[in-house]
Amino acid sequence: MKKIRVFLLLMVVVLLAGCYGKELNLIDGDKQITQQIDDTISQYIIQNYSTSYYGTEKQFEVHKIFGTSETDGILSVYMWSYYGGFNKAAGLDPQSGHSLPAVIRLSKKDGTYSVIEYIEPKDGSMYQSSLEKMFPAKYVKSAQRDSGNIGELQKEMQKKVEKWIEKQDKES
């Protein structure tokens, strides 16, 4: 009987240590994000949505990183993404796009990162529960807070669009 109790106690300790270790693996902010990772994320999202939104000449994506975690060589990035499609004639007014929380997982092989998974929350009544499944608890509130509050991302997007429009004007 005593052996069973000791065994059960050890199992609980191992289980709790496993959960505790995963939480310690979180790194707040974009400390792990290099320019290569940043570009890979944006390129993937643009490519992923290039056929979803029609009637735009150029698409851009910007994001805010809440944090990252790395497990078994897989980098998970917890973020808010703002995607927009633009036409030169419309200037800075997006013609299509979206703004939402997302998790993107990347693997590194031969010095190059590639996306192995991209997750967005479900719509409607499933939004909150799917967000809680996607994000570690400490980032759920950040995602809720940033819903509709993307002023900094809009400024970053505007800079990209202005640069593109200037380039188009020079080439014309």
Side-chain angles (χ1 to χ4, degrees):
M1 186 70 159
K2 188 175 181 178
K3 287 182 181 182
I4 293 174
R5 282 189 215 159
V6 170
F7 177 74
L8 289 175
L9 180 63
L10 284 173
M11 291 300 292
V12 168
V13 169
V14 168
L15 180 64
L16 289 174
C19 293
Y20 182 71
K22 289 181 182 177
E23 192 66 27
L24 285 180
N25 196 23
L26 294 173
I27 298 173
D28 292 344
D30 60 0
K31 295 175 186 86
Q32 284 190 290
I33 305 300
T34 63
Q35 189 62 52
Q36 180 190 15
I37 294 170
D38 197 57
D39 291 343
T40 299
I41 291 170
S42 289
Q43 289 167 8
Y44 178 85
I45 293 171
I46 290 168
Q47 182 179 359
N48 192 45
Y49 283 102
S50 65
T51 58
S52 298
Y53 297 106
Y54 297 100
T56 60
E57 296 171 49
K58 183 75 173 169
Q59 300 81 36
F60 299 95
E61 190 276 342
V62 293
H63 46 267
K64 175 183 178 182
I65 308 294
F66 299 127
T68 59
S69 66
E70 191 166 354
T71 305
D72 299 328
I74 305 298
L75 179 65
S76 296
V77 181
Y78 309 98
M79 64 184 197
W80 191 277
S81 173
Y82 174 40
Y83 169 90
F86 295 84
N87 290 324
K88 183 181 172 195
L92 298 175
D93 294 327
Q95 303 303 295
S96 64
H98 64 256
S99 172
L100 48 75
V103 176
I104 196 160
R105 291 192 170 79
L106 304 121
S107 67
K108 185 177 183 181
K109 186 173 185 179
D110 299 327
T112 302
Y113 286 90
S114 59
V115 175
I116 58 171
E117 187 175 28
Y118 176 74
I119 308 167
E120 296 174 353
K122 295 179 180 174
D123 291 333
S125 63
M126 299 297 293
Y127 180 85
Q128 184 63 32
S129 61
S130 63
L131 182 65
E132 290 171 359
K133 287 178 185 172
M134 292 170 41
F135 278 41
K138 72 185 290 182
Y139 299 137
V140 170
K141 286 185 181 183
S142 297
Q144 291 168 330
R145 181 188 65 237
D146 283 356
S147 179
N149 299 311
I150 61 165
E152 291 302 314
L153 290 176
Q154 287 171 321
K155 289 177 188 175
E156 189 178 341
M157 179 75 77
Q158 184 174 343
K159 288 178 186 176
K160 285 187 173 191
V161 174
E162 287 171 345
K163 195 173 186 178
W164 171 68
I165 291 172
E166 286 176 18
K167 184 179 177 186
Q168 295 296 306
D169 287 341
K170 287 180 182 177
E171 292 176 359
S172 297

